Coordinates of all heavy atoms in Angstrom, one line a residue:
M142 N 13.9 37.1 -45.8 CA 13.9 38.2 -44.9 C 14.8 38.0 -43.8 O 14.5 37.4 -42.8 CB 12.5 38.5 -44.4 CG 12.3 39.7 -43.6 SD 10.7 39.9 -42.9 CE 10.7 38.7 -41.5
A143 N 16.1 38.4 -44.0 CA 17.1 38.2 -42.9 C 17.1 39.5 -42.1 O 17.4 40.6 -42.6 CB 18.4 37.9 -43.6
A144 N 16.9 39.3 -40.8 CA 16.8 40.5 -39.9 C 17.7 40.3 -38.7 O 17.9 41.3 -37.9 CB 15.4 40.8 -39.5
I145 N 18.1 39.1 -38.4 CA 18.9 38.9 -37.2 C 20.3 38.7 -37.5 O 20.7 37.9 -38.4 CB 18.3 37.6 -36.5 CG1 16.8 37.6 -36.4 CG2 19.0 37.4 -35.1 CD1 16.2 38.6 -35.5
S146 N 21.2 39.3 -36.8 CA 22.6 39.2 -37.1 C 23.3 38.0 -36.5 O 22.9 37.6 -35.4 CB 23.3 40.5 -36.6 OG 23.3 40.6 -35.2
C147 N 24.2 37.5 -37.2 CA 25.0 36.3 -36.7 C 25.9 36.8 -35.6 O 26.6 37.8 -35.7 CB 25.8 35.8 -37.9 SG 27.1 34.6 -37.5
P148 N 26.0 36.0 -34.5 CA 27.0 36.5 -33.4 C 28.4 36.3 -33.8 O 29.3 36.9 -33.1 CB 26.6 35.5 -32.3 CG 25.8 34.4 -32.8 CD 25.2 34.9 -34.1
H149 N 28.7 35.6 -34.9 CA 30.1 35.5 -35.3 C 30.5 36.7 -36.2 O 31.5 37.4 -36.0 CB 30.3 34.2 -36.1 CG 30.2 33.0 -35.3 ND1 31.2 32.6 -34.4 CD2 29.2 32.0 -35.2 CE1 30.8 31.4 -33.8 NE2 29.6 31.1 -34.2
C150 N 29.8 36.8 -37.4 CA 30.2 37.7 -38.4 C 29.4 39.0 -38.4 O 29.7 40.0 -39.2 CB 30.2 37.1 -39.8 SG 28.5 36.7 -40.3
K151 N 28.4 39.1 -37.6 CA 27.6 40.3 -37.4 C 26.8 40.7 -38.7 O 26.3 41.8 -38.7 CB 28.4 41.5 -36.9 CG 29.3 41.3 -35.8 CD 28.6 41.0 -34.5 CE 29.5 40.8 -33.3 NZ 29.1 39.8 -32.4
Q152 N 26.7 39.8 -39.6 CA 25.8 40.1 -40.8 C 24.4 39.6 -40.5 O 24.2 38.6 -39.8 CB 26.4 39.3 -42.0 CG 27.7 39.8 -42.5 CD 28.2 39.0 -43.7 OE1 27.4 38.6 -44.5 NE2 29.5 38.7 -43.7
N153 N 23.4 40.3 -41.1 CA 22.0 39.9 -40.9 C 21.7 38.7 -41.8 O 21.2 38.8 -42.9 CB 21.1 41.0 -41.2 CG 21.2 42.1 -40.2 OD1 21.8 41.9 -39.1 ND2 20.7 43.3 -40.6
T154 N 22.0 37.5 -41.3 CA 21.8 36.3 -42.1 C 20.7 35.4 -41.6 O 20.3 34.5 -42.3 CB 23.1 35.5 -42.2 OG1 23.5 35.2 -40.9 CG2 24.2 36.2 -43.0
F155 N 20.2 35.7 -40.4 CA 19.1 34.8 -39.9 C 17.8 35.5 -39.9 O 17.7 36.8 -39.8 CB 19.4 34.5 -38.4 CG 20.7 33.7 -38.2 CD1 21.6 34.1 -37.3 CD2 20.9 32.5 -38.9 CE1 22.8 33.3 -37.1 CE2 22.0 31.8 -38.8 CZ 23.0 32.2 -37.9
S156 N 16.7 34.7 -40.2 CA 15.3 35.3 -40.2 C 14.7 35.1 -38.9 O 15.2 34.4 -38.0 CB 14.5 34.6 -41.3 OG 14.4 33.2 -40.9
W157 N 13.5 35.7 -38.7 CA 12.8 35.5 -37.4 C 12.4 34.1 -37.3 O 12.3 33.6 -36.2 CB 11.6 36.4 -37.4 CG 11.9 37.9 -37.1 CD1 12.0 38.9 -38.0 CD2 12.4 38.4 -35.9 NE1 12.4 40.0 -37.4 CE2 12.7 39.8 -36.1 CE3 12.5 37.9 -34.6 CZ2 13.1 40.6 -35.1 CZ3 12.9 38.7 -33.6 CH2 13.2 40.1 -33.8
W158 N 12.1 33.4 -38.4 CA 11.8 32.0 -38.3 C 13.0 31.2 -37.8 O 12.8 30.3 -37.0 CB 11.3 31.4 -39.7 CG 11.0 30.0 -39.7 CD1 11.7 29.0 -40.4 CD2 10.0 29.3 -38.9 NE1 11.2 27.8 -40.1 CE2 10.1 27.9 -39.3 CE3 9.0 29.7 -38.1 CZ2 9.3 27.0 -38.7 CZ3 8.2 28.7 -37.5 CH2 8.3 27.4 -37.8
D159 N 14.2 31.5 -38.3 CA 15.4 30.8 -37.7 C 15.5 31.1 -36.2 O 15.9 30.2 -35.5 CB 16.7 31.4 -38.4 CG 16.8 31.0 -39.9 OD1 16.3 29.9 -40.2 OD2 17.3 31.8 -40.7
K160 N 15.2 32.3 -35.8 CA 15.3 32.7 -34.4 C 14.3 31.8 -33.6 O 14.6 31.4 -32.5 CB 15.1 34.2 -34.2 CG 15.4 34.7 -32.9 CD 16.9 35.1 -32.8 CE 17.3 35.5 -31.4 NZ 16.9 36.9 -31.1
Y161 N 13.1 31.7 -34.2 CA 12.1 30.9 -33.5 C 12.6 29.4 -33.4 O 12.4 28.8 -32.3 CB 10.8 31.0 -34.2 CG 9.7 30.2 -33.6 CD1 9.0 30.6 -32.5 CD2 9.2 29.0 -34.1 CE1 8.0 29.9 -31.8 CE2 8.2 28.2 -33.5 CZ 7.6 28.7 -32.4 OH 6.7 27.9 -31.8
R162 N 13.1 28.9 -34.5 CA 13.6 27.5 -34.5 C 14.8 27.4 -33.4 O 14.9 26.3 -32.8 CB 14.1 27.1 -35.8 CG 13.0 26.8 -36.8 CD 13.5 26.4 -38.2 NE 14.5 25.4 -38.2 CZ 15.7 25.5 -38.8 NH1 16.0 26.6 -39.5 NH2 16.5 24.5 -38.7
A163 N 15.6 28.4 -33.3 CA 16.7 28.3 -32.3 C 16.1 28.2 -30.9 O 16.7 27.6 -30.0 CB 17.6 29.6 -32.4
S164 N 14.9 28.8 -30.7 CA 14.3 28.7 -29.4 C 13.8 27.3 -29.1 O 13.4 27.0 -28.0 CB 13.2 29.8 -29.2 OG 12.1 29.4 -30.0
K165 N 13.7 26.5 -30.1 CA 13.3 25.1 -29.9 C 14.6 24.2 -29.9 O 14.5 23.0 -30.3 CB 12.4 24.6 -31.0 CG 11.1 25.5 -31.2 CD 10.3 25.5 -29.9 CE 9.1 26.4 -30.0 NZ 9.0 27.3 -28.9
W166 N 15.7 24.7 -29.5 CA 17.0 24.0 -29.4 C 17.6 23.6 -30.7 O 18.5 22.7 -30.7 CB 16.8 22.8 -28.4 CG 16.3 23.1 -27.1 CD1 15.0 23.1 -26.7 CD2 17.1 23.6 -25.9 NE1 15.0 23.5 -25.3 CE2 16.2 23.8 -24.9 CE3 18.5 23.8 -25.7 CZ2 16.6 24.3 -23.6 CZ3 18.9 24.3 -24.5 CH2 17.9 24.5 -23.5
F167 N 17.2 24.2 -31.8 CA 17.9 23.9 -33.1 C 19.2 24.7 -33.1 O 19.2 25.8 -32.6 CB 17.0 24.3 -34.3 CG 16.0 23.3 -34.6 CD1 14.7 23.3 -34.1 CD2 16.2 22.4 -35.6 CE1 13.8 22.4 -34.4 CE2 15.3 21.4 -36.0 CZ 14.1 21.4 -35.4
L168 N 20.1 24.2 -33.8 CA 21.4 24.9 -34.1 C 21.2 25.6 -35.4 O 20.7 25.1 -36.4 CB 22.6 24.0 -34.1 CG 22.9 23.2 -32.9 CD1 24.1 22.3 -33.0 CD2 23.1 24.1 -31.7
L169 N 21.7 26.9 -35.5 CA 21.6 27.6 -36.7 C 23.0 27.7 -37.3 O 24.0 27.8 -36.6 CB 21.2 29.1 -36.4 CG 19.8 29.2 -35.7 CD1 19.6 30.7 -35.5 CD2 18.7 28.6 -36.6
T170 N 23.1 27.6 -38.6 CA 24.4 27.7 -39.4 C 24.2 29.0 -40.2 O 23.3 29.1 -41.0 CB 24.6 26.5 -40.2 OG1 24.6 25.4 -39.4 CG2 26.0 26.6 -40.9
C171 N 25.2 29.9 -40.1 CA 25.2 31.2 -40.8 C 25.5 30.9 -42.3 O 26.4 30.1 -42.6 CB 26.2 32.1 -40.2 SG 26.4 33.6 -41.1
D172 N 24.7 31.6 -43.2 CA 25.0 31.5 -44.6 C 26.2 32.2 -45.0 O 26.9 31.9 -46.0 CB 23.8 32.0 -45.4 CG 22.6 31.1 -45.3 OD1 22.8 29.9 -45.1 OD2 21.5 31.6 -45.5
G173 N 26.6 33.2 -44.2 CA 27.8 34.0 -44.6 C 29.1 33.4 -44.2 O 30.0 33.1 -45.0
C174 N 29.2 33.0 -42.9 CA 30.5 32.5 -42.4 C 30.5 31.0 -42.1 O 31.5 30.5 -41.7 CB 30.9 33.3 -41.1 SG 29.8 33.1 -39.8
K175 N 29.3 30.4 -42.3 CA 29.2 28.9 -42.1 C 29.5 28.4 -40.7 O 29.8 27.3 -40.5 CB 30.1 28.1 -43.1 CG 29.9 28.5 -44.5 CD 28.6 28.1 -45.1 CE 28.4 28.4 -46.6 NZ 27.0 28.6 -46.9
R176 N 29.4 29.3 -39.7 CA 29.7 28.9 -38.3 C 28.3 28.8 -37.6 O 27.3 29.3 -38.1 CB 30.6 29.9 -37.6 CG 31.9 30.0 -38.3 CD 32.8 31.1 -37.8 NE 33.4 30.6 -36.5 CZ 34.1 31.4 -35.7 NH1 34.3 32.6 -36.0 NH2 34.7 30.9 -34.6
R177 N 28.3 28.0 -36.5 CA 27.1 27.7 -35.8 C 26.8 28.6 -34.7 O 27.7 29.1 -34.0 CB 27.2 26.2 -35.3 CG 27.4 25.2 -36.4 CD 27.6 23.8 -35.9 NE 28.7 23.8 -34.8 CZ 28.7 23.0 -33.8 NH1 27.7 22.1 -33.7 NH2 29.6 23.0 -32.9
S178 N 25.5 28.7 -34.4 CA 25.0 29.5 -33.3 C 23.8 28.8 -32.7 O 23.2 28.0 -33.3 CB 24.5 30.9 -33.7 OG 25.5 31.5 -34.5
C179 N 23.5 29.1 -31.4 CA 22.3 28.6 -30.8 C 21.7 29.7 -29.9 O 22.3 30.7 -29.7 CB 22.7 27.4 -29.9 SG 23.7 27.8 -28.5
A180 N 20.5 29.5 -29.5 CA 19.9 30.4 -28.5 C 20.6 30.2 -27.2 O 21.1 29.1 -26.8 CB 18.4 30.2 -28.4
Q181 N 20.7 31.3 -26.4 CA 21.3 31.3 -25.1 C 20.7 30.1 -24.2 O 19.6 30.2 -23.8 CB 21.1 32.6 -24.4 CG 21.8 32.8 -23.1 CD 23.3 32.7 -23.1 OE1 23.7 31.7 -22.6 NE2 24.0 33.6 -23.7
P182 N 21.5 29.1 -23.9 CA 20.9 27.9 -23.3 C 20.4 28.1 -21.9 O 19.4 27.5 -21.5 CB 22.0 26.8 -23.3 CG 23.2 27.5 -23.8 CD 22.9 28.9 -24.3
V183 N 21.0 29.0 -21.1 CA 20.6 29.3 -19.7 C 19.2 29.9 -19.7 O 18.3 29.6 -19.0 CB 21.6 30.1 -19.0 CG1 21.1 30.5 -17.6 CG2 22.9 29.3 -18.9
V184 N 19.0 30.9 -20.6 CA 17.7 31.6 -20.8 C 16.7 30.6 -21.3 O 15.5 30.6 -20.8 CB 17.9 32.8 -21.7 CG1 16.5 33.5 -21.8 CG2 18.9 33.8 -21.2
L185 N 17.0 29.8 -22.2 CA 16.1 28.8 -22.7 C 15.7 27.8 -21.6 O 14.5 27.5 -21.5 CB 16.7 28.0 -23.9 CG 16.5 28.5 -25.3 CD1 17.0 27.4 -26.3 CD2 15.1 28.9 -25.6
A186 N 16.6 27.4 -20.8 CA 16.3 26.5 -19.7 C 15.3 27.1 -18.8 O 14.3 26.5 -18.3 CB 17.5 26.1 -18.9
A187 N 15.4 28.4 -18.5 CA 14.5 29.2 -17.6 C 13.1 29.2 -18.3 O 12.1 29.0 -17.6 CB 15.0 30.6 -17.3
I188 N 13.1 29.5 -19.6 CA 11.8 29.6 -20.3 C 11.1 28.2 -20.3 O 9.9 28.1 -20.1 CB 12.0 30.1 -21.7 CG1 12.3 31.6 -21.6 CG2 10.8 29.9 -22.6 CD1 12.6 32.3 -22.8
Y189 N 11.9 27.1 -20.5 CA 11.3 25.8 -20.5 C 10.8 25.4 -19.1 O 9.8 24.7 -19.0 CB 12.3 24.8 -21.1 CG 12.1 24.8 -22.6 CD1 12.7 25.8 -23.3 CD2 11.4 23.8 -23.2 CE1 12.5 25.8 -24.7 CE2 11.2 23.8 -24.6 CZ 11.8 24.8 -25.3 OH 11.6 24.9 -26.7
F190 N 11.4 25.9 -18.0 CA 10.9 25.7 -16.7 C 9.5 26.4 -16.6 O 8.6 25.8 -16.0 CB 11.8 26.3 -15.6 CG 11.3 26.3 -14.3 CD1 11.3 25.2 -13.5 CD2 10.7 27.5 -13.7 CE1 10.7 25.2 -12.2 CE2 10.1 27.5 -12.5 CZ 10.2 26.3 -11.7
L191 N 9.4 27.6 -17.2 CA 8.1 28.3 -17.2 C 7.0 27.5 -18.0 O 5.9 27.5 -17.6 CB 8.2 29.7 -17.7 CG 9.0 30.6 -16.8 CD1 9.1 32.0 -17.5 CD2 8.3 30.8 -15.5
Y192 N 7.4 26.9 -19.1 CA 6.5 26.0 -19.9 C 6.0 24.9 -19.0 O 4.8 24.6 -19.0 CB 7.2 25.4 -21.1 CG 7.3 26.2 -22.3 CD1 8.6 26.4 -22.9 CD2 6.2 26.7 -23.0 CE1 8.7 27.1 -24.1 CE2 6.3 27.4 -24.1 CZ 7.6 27.6 -24.7 OH 7.7 28.3 -25.9
V193 N 6.9 24.2 -18.3 CA 6.5 23.1 -17.4 C 5.5 23.6 -16.3 O 4.5 23.0 -16.0 CB 7.7 22.4 -16.8 CG1 7.3 21.4 -15.8 CG2 8.5 21.7 -17.9
W194 N 5.9 24.8 -15.7 CA 5.1 25.4 -14.7 C 3.7 25.7 -15.2 O 2.7 25.4 -14.6 CB 5.8 26.7 -14.2 CG 5.0 27.4 -13.2 CD1 4.8 27.2 -11.9 CD2 4.1 28.6 -13.5 NE1 4.0 28.1 -11.4 CE2 3.5 29.0 -12.3 CE3 3.8 29.3 -14.7 CZ2 2.7 30.1 -12.3 CZ3 3.0 30.4 -14.6 CH2 2.4 30.7 -13.4
D195 N 3.6 26.3 -16.4 CA 2.3 26.6 -17.1 C 1.5 25.3 -17.2 O 0.3 25.4 -16.9 CB 2.6 27.2 -18.4 CG 1.4 27.6 -19.2 OD1 0.6 28.4 -18.7 OD2 1.2 27.1 -20.4
V196 N 2.0 24.3 -17.7 CA 1.3 23.1 -18.0 C 0.9 22.4 -16.6 O -0.3 22.0 -16.5 CB 2.1 22.1 -18.9 CG1 1.4 20.7 -18.9 CG2 2.2 22.6 -20.2
M197 N 1.8 22.4 -15.7 CA 1.5 21.7 -14.4 C 0.4 22.5 -13.7 O -0.6 21.9 -13.2 CB 2.7 21.7 -13.5 CG 3.8 20.9 -14.1 SD 3.8 19.1 -13.7 CE 4.2 19.1 -12.0
L198 N 0.5 23.8 -13.5 CA -0.4 24.6 -12.8 C -1.8 24.6 -13.4 O -2.8 24.3 -12.8 CB 0.1 26.0 -12.6 CG -0.9 27.0 -11.9 CD1 -1.0 26.6 -10.4 CD2 -0.4 28.4 -12.0
F199 N -1.8 25.0 -14.7 CA -3.2 25.2 -15.3 C -3.8 23.8 -15.7 O -5.0 23.7 -15.7 CB -3.1 26.1 -16.5 CG -2.8 27.5 -16.0 CD1 -1.6 28.1 -16.4 CD2 -3.7 28.2 -15.2 CE1 -1.3 29.4 -15.9 CE2 -3.4 29.5 -14.8 CZ -2.2 30.1 -15.1
G200 N -2.9 22.8 -15.9 CA -3.5 21.5 -16.1 C -4.1 21.0 -14.9 O -5.2 20.4 -14.9
Y201 N -3.5 21.2 -13.7 CA -4.0 20.8 -12.4 C -5.3 21.5 -12.1 O -6.3 20.9 -11.6 CB -2.9 21.0 -11.3 CG -3.3 20.4 -10.0 CD1 -3.6 19.0 -9.9 CD2 -3.4 21.2 -8.9 CE1 -4.0 18.5 -8.6 CE2 -3.8 20.7 -7.7 CZ -4.0 19.3 -7.5 OH -4.4 18.8 -6.3
L202 N -5.3 22.8 -12.4 CA -6.5 23.6 -12.1 C -7.6 23.2 -13.0 O -8.8 23.2 -12.6 CB -6.2 25.1 -12.3 CG -5.4 25.8 -11.2 CD1 -5.1 27.2 -11.5 CD2 -6.1 25.7 -9.8
A203 N -7.3 22.8 -14.2 CA -8.4 22.3 -15.1 C -8.9 21.0 -14.6 O -10.1 20.7 -14.7 CB -7.8 22.1 -16.6
Y204 N -8.0 20.2 -14.1 CA -8.5 18.9 -13.5 C -9.4 19.1 -12.3 O -10.4 18.4 -12.1 CB -7.2 18.1 -13.2 CG -7.5 16.8 -12.4 CD1 -8.1 15.7 -13.0 CD2 -7.2 16.7 -11.0 CE1 -8.4 14.6 -12.3 CE2 -7.5 15.6 -10.3 CZ -8.0 14.5 -10.9 OH -8.3 13.4 -10.2
L205 N -9.0 20.1 -11.4 CA -9.7 20.3 -10.2 C -11.0 21.1 -10.4 O -12.0 20.8 -9.8 CB -8.9 21.1 -9.2 CG -7.7 20.4 -8.5 CD1 -7.1 21.3 -7.5 CD2 -8.3 19.1 -7.8
D206 N -10.9 22.1 -11.2 CA -12.0 23.1 -11.2 C -12.8 23.2 -12.6 O -13.8 22.7 -12.7 CB -11.4 24.5 -10.9 CG -12.4 25.5 -10.6 OD1 -13.6 25.2 -10.3 OD2 -12.1 26.7 -10.6
S207 N -12.1 23.9 -13.5 CA -12.9 24.2 -14.8 C -12.0 23.9 -16.0 O -10.8 24.2 -15.9 CB -13.4 25.6 -14.7 OG -13.7 26.0 -16.0
L208 N -12.6 23.5 -17.0 CA -11.8 23.2 -18.3 C -11.3 24.6 -18.9 O -10.5 24.6 -19.8 CB -12.6 22.4 -19.3 CG -12.7 20.9 -18.9 CD1 -13.6 20.2 -19.9 CD2 -11.4 20.3 -18.7
W209 N -11.9 25.7 -18.4 CA -11.4 27.0 -19.0 C -10.0 27.2 -18.7 O -9.3 28.0 -19.4 CB -12.3 28.1 -18.4 CG -13.6 28.2 -19.0 CD1 -14.8 27.8 -18.5 CD2 -13.9 28.7 -20.3 NE1 -15.8 28.0 -19.4 CE2 -15.3 28.6 -20.5 CE3 -13.1 29.2 -21.3 CZ2 -15.9 28.9 -21.7 CZ3 -13.8 29.6 -22.5 CH2 -15.1 29.4 -22.7
F210 N -9.4 26.6 -17.6 CA -8.0 26.7 -17.3 C -7.2 26.1 -18.4 O -6.0 26.5 -18.6 CB -7.7 26.1 -16.0 CG -8.1 26.9 -14.8 CD1 -9.2 26.5 -14.0 CD2 -7.5 28.1 -14.5 CE1 -9.6 27.3 -12.9 CE2 -7.9 28.9 -13.5 CZ -8.9 28.5 -12.7
L211 N -7.7 25.2 -19.2 CA -6.9 24.7 -20.4 C -6.7 25.9 -21.4 O -5.7 26.0 -22.0 CB -7.7 23.6 -21.1 CG -7.7 22.2 -20.3 CD1 -8.4 21.2 -21.1 CD2 -6.3 21.8 -20.0
L212 N -7.7 26.7 -21.5 CA -7.6 27.9 -22.4 C -6.5 28.8 -21.9 O -5.7 29.3 -22.6 CB -8.9 28.6 -22.6 CG -8.9 29.8 -23.5 CD1 -8.7 29.3 -25.0 CD2 -10.2 30.5 -23.4
V213 N -6.5 29.0 -20.6 CA -5.5 29.9 -19.9 C -4.1 29.3 -20.2 O -3.2 30.0 -20.5 CB -5.8 30.0 -18.4 CG1 -4.7 30.9 -17.7 CG2 -7.2 30.7 -18.2
M214 N -4.1 28.0 -20.1 CA -2.8 27.3 -20.3 C -2.3 27.5 -21.7 O -1.1 27.8 -21.9 CB -2.9 25.8 -20.0 CG -1.7 25.0 -20.2 SD -1.9 23.2 -19.9 CE -2.7 22.7 -21.3
V215 N -3.2 27.4 -22.7 CA -2.8 27.6 -24.1 C -2.3 29.1 -24.3 O -1.3 29.3 -25.0 CB -3.9 27.2 -25.0 CG1 -3.6 27.6 -26.4 CG2 -4.1 25.7 -25.0
V216 N -3.1 30.0 -23.7 CA -2.7 31.4 -23.9 C -1.3 31.7 -23.2 O -0.5 32.3 -23.8 CB -3.8 32.3 -23.3 CG1 -3.3 33.8 -23.2 CG2 -5.1 32.2 -24.1
G217 N -1.1 31.1 -22.1 CA 0.2 31.2 -21.4 C 1.3 30.7 -22.2 O 2.4 31.2 -22.4
W218 N 1.0 29.5 -22.8 CA 2.0 28.8 -23.7 C 2.4 29.7 -24.9 O 3.5 29.9 -25.2 CB 1.4 27.5 -24.2 CG 2.4 26.7 -25.0 CD1 2.7 26.8 -26.3 CD2 3.1 25.6 -24.5 NE1 3.6 25.9 -26.7 CE2 3.9 25.1 -25.6 CE3 3.3 25.0 -23.3 CZ2 4.7 24.0 -25.5 CZ3 4.1 23.9 -23.2 CH2 4.9 23.4 -24.3
L219 N 1.3 30.3 -25.5 CA 1.6 31.2 -26.7 C 2.4 32.4 -26.3 O 3.2 32.9 -27.0 CB 0.3 31.6 -27.3 CG -0.5 30.4 -28.0 CD1 -1.8 30.8 -28.6 CD2 0.4 29.8 -29.1
I220 N 2.1 33.0 -25.1 CA 2.8 34.2 -24.7 C 4.3 33.8 -24.4 O 5.2 34.5 -24.9 CB 2.2 34.7 -23.4 CG1 0.8 35.4 -23.7 CG2 3.1 35.7 -22.7 CD1 0.0 35.7 -22.5
L221 N 4.5 32.6 -23.8 CA 5.9 32.2 -23.6 C 6.6 32.0 -25.0 O 7.8 32.3 -25.2 CB 6.0 30.9 -22.8 CG 5.7 31.0 -21.3 CD1 5.6 29.7 -20.7 CD2 6.9 31.8 -20.7
D222 N 5.9 31.4 -25.9 CA 6.4 31.1 -27.3 C 6.8 32.4 -27.9 O 7.8 32.5 -28.6 CB 5.3 30.4 -28.1 CG 5.8 29.1 -28.7 OD1 6.8 28.5 -28.1 OD2 5.3 28.7 -29.7
Y223 N 6.0 33.5 -27.7 CA 6.3 34.8 -28.3 C 7.6 35.3 -27.8 O 8.5 35.8 -28.5 CB 5.2 35.7 -28.0 CG 5.5 37.1 -28.5 CD1 5.5 37.5 -29.8 CD2 5.8 38.1 -27.6 CE1 5.8 38.8 -30.2 CE2 6.2 39.4 -28.0 CZ 6.1 39.7 -29.3 OH 6.4 41.0 -29.7
F224 N 7.8 35.2 -26.4 CA 9.0 35.7 -25.9 C 10.3 34.9 -26.2 O 11.4 35.4 -26.1 CB 8.9 35.9 -24.3 CG 8.0 37.1 -24.0 CD1 6.8 37.0 -23.5 CD2 8.5 38.4 -24.2 CE1 6.0 38.1 -23.2 CE2 7.8 39.5 -23.9 CZ 6.5 39.3 -23.4
T225 N 10.1 33.7 -26.6 CA 11.3 32.9 -26.9 C 12.0 33.5 -28.2 O 13.2 33.2 -28.4 CB 11.0 31.4 -27.2 OG1 10.0 31.3 -28.3 CG2 10.5 30.7 -26.0
I226 N 11.3 34.2 -29.0 CA 11.9 34.8 -30.2 C 13.0 35.8 -29.7 O 14.0 36.0 -30.5 CB 10.9 35.5 -31.0 CG1 9.9 34.5 -31.6 CG2 11.5 36.4 -32.1 CD1 8.8 35.1 -32.3
Y227 N 12.9 36.4 -28.5 CA 13.9 37.4 -28.1 C 15.0 36.9 -27.3 O 15.8 37.6 -26.8 CB 13.1 38.5 -27.3 CG 12.1 39.2 -28.2 CD1 10.8 38.9 -28.1 CD2 12.6 40.1 -29.1 CE1 9.9 39.5 -29.0 CE2 11.7 40.8 -29.9 CZ 10.3 40.5 -29.9 OH 9.5 41.1 -30.7
V228 N 15.1 35.5 -27.2 CA 16.3 35.0 -26.5 C 17.5 35.2 -27.4 O 17.5 34.9 -28.6 CB 16.1 33.4 -26.3 CG1 17.4 32.8 -25.7 CG2 14.9 33.2 -25.4
P229 N 18.6 35.8 -26.8 CA 19.7 36.2 -27.7 C 20.5 34.9 -28.2 O 20.4 33.9 -27.5 CB 20.6 37.0 -26.7 CG 20.2 36.6 -25.3 CD 18.7 36.2 -25.4
L230 N 21.1 35.1 -29.3 CA 21.9 34.0 -29.9 C 23.3 34.0 -29.3 O 23.9 35.0 -29.0 CB 22.0 34.2 -31.4 CG 20.7 34.0 -32.2 CD1 21.0 34.3 -33.7 CD2 20.1 32.6 -32.1
S231 N 23.8 32.8 -29.2 CA 25.2 32.6 -28.7 C 26.0 31.9 -29.7 O 25.6 31.0 -30.4 CB 25.2 31.6 -27.5 OG 24.6 32.2 -26.4
P232 N 27.3 32.4 -29.9 CA 28.1 31.7 -30.9 C 28.6 30.4 -30.3 O 28.8 30.2 -29.1 CB 29.3 32.7 -31.0 CG 29.3 33.5 -29.8 CD 27.9 33.5 -29.3
L233 N 28.7 29.4 -31.2 CA 29.2 28.1 -30.8 C 30.6 27.9 -31.4 O 30.9 28.5 -32.4 CB 28.3 27.0 -31.4 CG 27.0 26.8 -30.7 CD1 26.2 25.7 -31.4 CD2 27.2 26.3 -29.3
R234 N 31.4 27.2 -30.7 CA 32.8 26.9 -31.2 C 32.6 26.0 -32.5 O 31.7 25.3 -32.7 CB 33.6 26.1 -30.2 CG 34.3 27.0 -29.2 CD 35.0 26.1 -28.2 NE 34.1 25.8 -27.2 CZ 34.3 25.0 -26.2 NH1 35.5 24.4 -26.1 NH2 33.4 24.8 -25.3
D235 N 33.6 26.1 -33.3 CA 33.6 25.3 -34.5 C 33.8 23.8 -34.2 O 34.4 23.5 -33.2 CB 34.8 25.7 -35.5 CG 34.6 27.1 -36.0 OD1 33.5 27.5 -36.2 OD2 35.6 27.8 -36.2
K236 N 33.2 22.9 -35.0 CA 33.4 21.5 -34.8 C 34.8 21.1 -34.9 O 35.5 21.7 -35.8 CB 32.6 20.7 -35.9 CG 31.1 20.6 -35.6 CD 30.5 19.8 -36.7 CE 29.0 19.8 -36.6 NZ 28.4 19.1 -37.8
P237 N 35.3 20.2 -34.1 CA 36.7 19.8 -34.2 C 36.9 19.1 -35.5 O 36.1 18.3 -35.9 CB 37.0 18.9 -33.0 CG 35.6 18.5 -32.5 CD 34.7 19.6 -33.0
Q238 N 38.0 19.4 -36.2 CA 38.3 18.8 -37.5 C 38.8 17.4 -37.3 O 39.7 17.1 -36.4 CB 39.3 19.6 -38.3 CG 38.8 21.0 -38.7 CD 37.5 21.0 -39.5 OE1 37.4 20.2 -40.4 NE2 36.6 21.8 -39.2
P239 N 38.3 16.4 -38.1 CA 38.9 15.0 -37.9 C 40.4 15.0 -38.4 O 40.7 15.6 -39.3 CB 38.0 14.2 -38.9 CG 37.4 15.1 -39.8 CD 37.3 16.5 -39.1
K240 N 41.2 14.2 -37.7 CA 42.6 14.2 -38.0 C 42.9 13.1 -38.9 O 42.3 12.1 -39.0 CB 43.4 14.0 -36.7 CG 43.3 15.3 -35.8 CD 43.9 15.1 -34.5 CE 43.7 16.3 -33.6 NZ 44.1 16.2 -32.2
Ligands
ZN655 ZN1 28.0 34.5 -39.7

């Protein structure tokens, strides 16, 4: 099920699972044009800042107050995970050829 277009050749060669993997800092290689893409790194860095904030805040609140905050932390994590699917893909330059 290919639904996401490659930023190089604009063909729908990536699946939603590929897009999810790209949000975990994986590089994607297009089946059509064999060129590489990644999720937009600046947006990913902001999202990973929110992951850290989620764990620090709700982990600390769970330590101080109630273990229910661990559930809030997990729900916050899952919500962030959902939104990582929508991080746009960026084209990467081709690997330099060995001389
Ligand atoms: Zn392509």
